[in-house]
């Protein structure tokens, strides 16, 4: 490995990493919003919306992100919806992540025993209060491990962004290899930068899991 | 006669087309302690859950101090505050301390002042012998302690009637007494109570009236003296025989 080459590549990777983190962060954030919404629809058994959410989840989970991105980037303009590569990346990641987040939230909600809601209601709470004050905090603590796994999964999935010509880490590595054939250095940096992004997320996740475990069940 | 707190008229409840409560008529008056007994599966829990509108009913009406209780009605949360309920399974909020469990509804629902509520909670905890547990989490408590906290949590709402559904059924034998003692104390204070239990000696000690249910109906009612010594119906007789060992 040539340290000089690594030194030259470093700024390029730095820029790409920032793009990856920015788009990844937005994608994760919107995925969580979509996921929470879908989980709420399923949990509350909202008619009609429930069927729509179910179809969305199946579609989202059973198609690769690459295909979803192609659809948004090349397909939607045909019906007049034009997007920039960045918007396309975030939208694709959200479309994929929403269903995974929905599953994580839903399994948390379902882990909360029915009696919890009933005792909250019997103590005079409205359903909305029971959900906000009693059910969601417990559901969240069950969901955290799955949510953390999803965040890591989604950040890794950003590596297909290069397919819609976003200059993310993967794009940068492939590009440099194509131009200069310094395969070792390019791939080494790729691994290092993904680790720099993902390791802190993993550590933060573990800390969070410990902190919310107080809600432990079997009480 | 004292005021009617709870009135049920012709209450019918079905689950999946099966009749579970088959025309229940029941009146509970101010200060009365009524105990419901009956074989497992006869509808006792369902009856209490209907009173609290946790289950919708098919026919009949349920009145709390003259006001109808209906599942889905707008005034349900305020009516439910007047009905205290303790379940068989431990149902404390596991993510909150004992103090937070007790003060949550008074603060968020009744909008009472935090300090005042915490002071009252501390007094009530002292009365059930749990002063030192205010900052504990439910998982750190024994079953008997949890049920006593659950009782405090409903008492602080200042309910008009207290419903207990086999609150000692899931407890280890040595913890049953500490919970029953709290309930006896409430009865002595003149609280209006409707209790489902399988503890026959306790029923005899606490009840003004025994209500015997079987198969979704009230089969027999009477004072504990009448009921336990001279049950009028064959079904009550047979039920009581199952709890005797000397015959
Ligand atoms: N949610 C439910 N769905 C269907 N059947 C139920 C439900 N809850 C109770 N039941 C049925 O209603 C009957 C009465 O149950 P329950 O009120 O729990 O009896 P008890 O408390 O007297 O033992 C039982 O046959 C039970 O299987
Ligand atoms: Mg029962």
């Amino acid at each position: 490995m040539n340290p000089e080459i690594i030194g030259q590549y470093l700024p390029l990777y730095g820029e790409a990493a920032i793009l990856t983190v920015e788009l990844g962060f937005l994608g994760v954030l919107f995925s969580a919003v979509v996921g929470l919404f879908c989980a709420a629809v399923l949990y509350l058994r909202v008619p009609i919306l429930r069927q729509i959410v179910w179809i969305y989840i199946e579609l989202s989970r059973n198609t690769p992100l690459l295909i979803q991105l192609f659809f948004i980037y090349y397909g939607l303009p045909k019906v007049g919806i034009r997007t920039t590569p960045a918007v396309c990346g975030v939208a694709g990641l959200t479309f994929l992540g929403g269903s995974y987040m929905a599953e994580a939230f839903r399994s948390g909600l379902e882990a909360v025993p029915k009696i919890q809601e009933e005792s909250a209601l019997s103590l005079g709470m409205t359903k909305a209060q029971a959900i906000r004050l009693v059910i969601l905090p417990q559901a969240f603590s069950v969901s955290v491990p799955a949510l953390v796994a999803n965040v890591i999964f989604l950040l890794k999935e950003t590596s297909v962004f290069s397919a819609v010509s976003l200059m993310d880490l993967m794009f940068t590595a492939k590009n440099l290899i194509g131009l200069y054939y310094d395969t070792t250095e390019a791939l080494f940096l790729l691994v290092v930068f993904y680790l720099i992004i993902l390791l802190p997320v993993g550590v933060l996740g573990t800390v969070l899991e410990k902190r919310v475990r107080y809600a432990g069940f079997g009480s | 006669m004292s005021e009617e707190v709870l009135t049920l008229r012709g209450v019918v409840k079905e689950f999946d087309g099966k009749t579970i409560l088959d025309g229940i008529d029941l009146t509970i008056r101010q200060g009365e302690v009524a105990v419901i007994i009956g074989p497992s599966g006869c509808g006792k829990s369902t009856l209490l859950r209907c009173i609290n509108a946790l289950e919708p009913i098919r026919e009949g009406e349920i009145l709390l101090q003259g006001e109808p209780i209906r599942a889905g009605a707008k005034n349900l949360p305020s009516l439910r505050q007047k009905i205290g309920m303790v379940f068989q399974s431990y149902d404390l909020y596991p993510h909150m301390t004992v103090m937070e469990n007790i003060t949550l509804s008074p603060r968020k629902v009744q909008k009472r002042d935090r300090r005042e509520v915490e002071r009252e909670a501390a007094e009530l905890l002292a009365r059930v012998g749990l002063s030192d547990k205010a900052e504990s989490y439910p998982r750190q408590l024994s079953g008997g302690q949890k049920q006593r906290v659950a009782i405090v949590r409903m008492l602080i709402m200042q309910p008009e009637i207290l419903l207990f559904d086999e609150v000692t059924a899931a407890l280890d034998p040595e913890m049953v007494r500490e919970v029953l003692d709290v309930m006896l104390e409430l009865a002595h204070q003149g609280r209006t109570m409707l209790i489902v239990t399988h503890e026959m000696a306790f029923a005899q000690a606490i009840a003004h009236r025994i209500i015997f249910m079987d198969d979704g109906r009230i089969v027999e009612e009477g004072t504990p003296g009448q009921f336990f010594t001279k049950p009028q119906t064959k079904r009550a007789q047979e039920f009581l025989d199952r709890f005797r060992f000397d015959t």
Side-chain angles (χ1 to χ4, degrees):
Chain A
M1 227 180 318
N2 188 337
E4 210 169 297
I5 295 175
I6 290 187
Q8 284 168 358
Y9 284 1
L10 218 45
L12 293 172
Y13 274 88
E15 261 173 59
I18 288 169
L19 184 79
T20 296
V21 169
E22 277 174 355
L23 299 186
F25 173 80
L26 286 175
V28 164
L29 192 71
F30 292 140
S31 294
V33 173
V34 169
L36 197 56
F37 173 78
C38 292
V41 166
L42 294 177
Y43 183 73
L44 297 173
R45 300 179 197 286
V46 183
I48 305 167
L49 269 184
R50 200 172 140 204
Q51 277 79 21
I52 296 172
V53 163
W54 185 81
I55 292 170
Y56 155 66
I57 287 179
E58 290 304 315
L59 258 179
S60 153
R61 283 166 61 94
N62 294 309
T63 51
L65 179 57
L66 190 59
I67 312 291
Q68 296 170 2
L69 286 178
F70 280 166
F71 182 81
I72 296 169
Y73 196 60
Y74 299 108
L76 287 187
K78 299 229 157 65
V79 293
I81 303 170
R82 223 160 277 282
T83 54
T84 66
V87 170
C88 171
V90 172
L93 205 58
T94 303
F95 185 83
L96 175 76
S99 65
Y100 282 82
M101 293 298 192
E103 281 300 306
F105 284 122
R106 194 190 55 83
S107 61
L109 283 169
E110 273 172 16
V112 181
K114 193 80 188 137
I115 186 92
Q116 288 288 321
E117 179 185 332
E118 292 178 345
S119 31
L121 293 179
S122 79
L123 289 160
M125 287 189 209
T126 61
K127 178 133 179 158
Q129 284 176 317
I131 289 175
R132 185 164 50 84
L133 299 168
V134 173
I135 297 172
L136 275 184
Q138 294 180 51
F140 182 68
S141 79
V142 176
S143 298
V144 162
L147 293 174
V148 172
N150 284 349
V151 172
I152 293 173
F153 162 73
L154 289 175
L155 289 177
K156 286 198 275 197
E157 283 293 304
T158 58
S159 58
V160 305
F161 279 0
S162 55
V164 290
S165 56
L166 274 169
M167 289 191 264
D168 74 327
L169 284 169
M170 195 67 186
F171 182 94
T172 304
K174 280 200 275 194
N175 202 21
L176 289 171
I177 292 169
L179 285 174
Y180 307 111
Y181 303 104
D182 298 319
T183 315
T184 319
E185 287 80 2
L187 289 181
F188 172 74
L189 281 172
L190 183 63
V191 171
V192 168
F193 270 87
Y194 267 114
L195 281 178
I196 291 174
I197 295 172
L198 293 173
L199 271 182
V201 176
V203 171
L204 265 173
T206 312
V207 171
L208 189 62
E209 279 169 43
K210 286 223 178 78
R211 287 209 44 182
V212 296
R213 207 173 287 157
Y214 63 81
F217 288 98
S219 57
Chain B
M1 270 219 238
S2 50
E3 183 204 357
E4 288 183 14
V5 177
L6 182 71
T7 313
L8 279 75
R9 290 198 198 112
V11 170
V12 174
K13 167 73 191 169
E14 288 182 356
F15 276 125
D16 319 315
K18 222 176 112 223
T19 305
I20 304 295
L21 298 177
D22 192 5
I24 301 282
D25 296 298
L26 181 66
T27 302
I28 309 286
R29 292 180 182 280
Q30 183 76 49
E32 187 179 16
V33 178
V35 171
I36 302 177
I37 62 175
S40 171
C42 73
K44 305 180 297 293
S45 298
T46 305
L47 180 63
L48 295 196
R49 292 168 56 80
C50 288
I51 292 171
N52 221 339
L54 291 173
E55 298 286 352
I57 57 174
R58 215 198 107 131
E59 275 173 47
E61 58 179 355
I62 302 175
L63 306 172
L64 183 76
Q65 296 176 320
E67 277 199 76
I69 300 175
R70 283 194 209 95
K74 263 261 177 320
N75 63 346
L76 200 50
S78 71
L79 281 176
R80 277 183 176 140
Q81 292 174 45
K82 301 183 190 169
I83 308 172
M85 178 141 174
V86 184
F87 299 82
Q88 170 177 346
S89 57
Y90 317 128
D91 59 332
L92 298 181
Y93 312 133
H95 59 301
M96 293 182 180
T97 64
V98 165
M99 183 54 87
E100 289 164 346
N101 261 276
I102 297 169
T103 56
L104 186 66
S105 270
R107 289 176 50 209
K108 301 289 177 180
V109 175
Q110 298 178 326
K111 312 281 181 214
R112 282 156 68 188
D113 174 62
R114 183 196 181 120
R115 288 243 187 84
E116 175 233 314
V117 173
E118 286 185 349
R119 200 174 324 119
E120 189 181 343
E123 276 166 27
L124 287 168
L125 277 175
R127 259 203 263 164
V128 301
L130 292 175
S131 288
D132 54 333
K133 299 294 182 195
E135 297 313 315
S136 301
Y137 280 93
R139 61 168 185 274
Q140 299 165 318
L141 304 181
S142 73
Q145 291 170 335
K146 275 186 252 190
Q147 288 301 58
R148 282 183 280 159
V149 173
I151 291 173
V152 168
R153 188 176 62 168
M154 75 143 176
L155 284 178
I156 202 163
M157 298 298 284
Q158 298 162 340
E160 302 290 338
I161 181 166
L162 317 181
L163 311 180
F164 296 87
D165 187 6
E166 296 197 45
V167 291
T168 59
L171 297 181
D172 290 334
E174 73 270 21
M175 292 168 189
V176 169
R177 188 63 204 240
E178 65 195 40
V179 177
L180 296 185
D181 280 341
V182 170
M183 292 165 69
L184 277 168
E185 157 88 23
L186 291 170
H188 289 148
Q189 289 170 14
R191 300 276 191 158
T192 312
M193 300 163 83
L194 182 58
I195 302 169
V196 173
T197 184
H198 274 119
E199 303 281 339
M200 292 303 151
F202 168 70
Q204 205 155 358
I206 199 172
H208 302 133
R209 175 160 54 129
I210 302 283
I211 297 158
F212 176 68
M213 273 181 74
D214 193 13
D215 209 12
R217 292 167 201 250
I218 294 178
V219 176
E220 184 171 338
E221 288 184 65
T223 64
Q226 287 163 356
F227 182 80
F228 286 105
T229 52
K230 297 192 286 292
Q232 303 294 304
T233 57
K234 193 155 172 286
R235 279 196 274 181
Q237 183 97 57
E238 283 167 1
F239 176 76
L240 287 174
D241 282 346
R242 272 183 257 157
F243 289 89
R244 297 212 173 90
F245 294 96
D246 52 359
T247 46

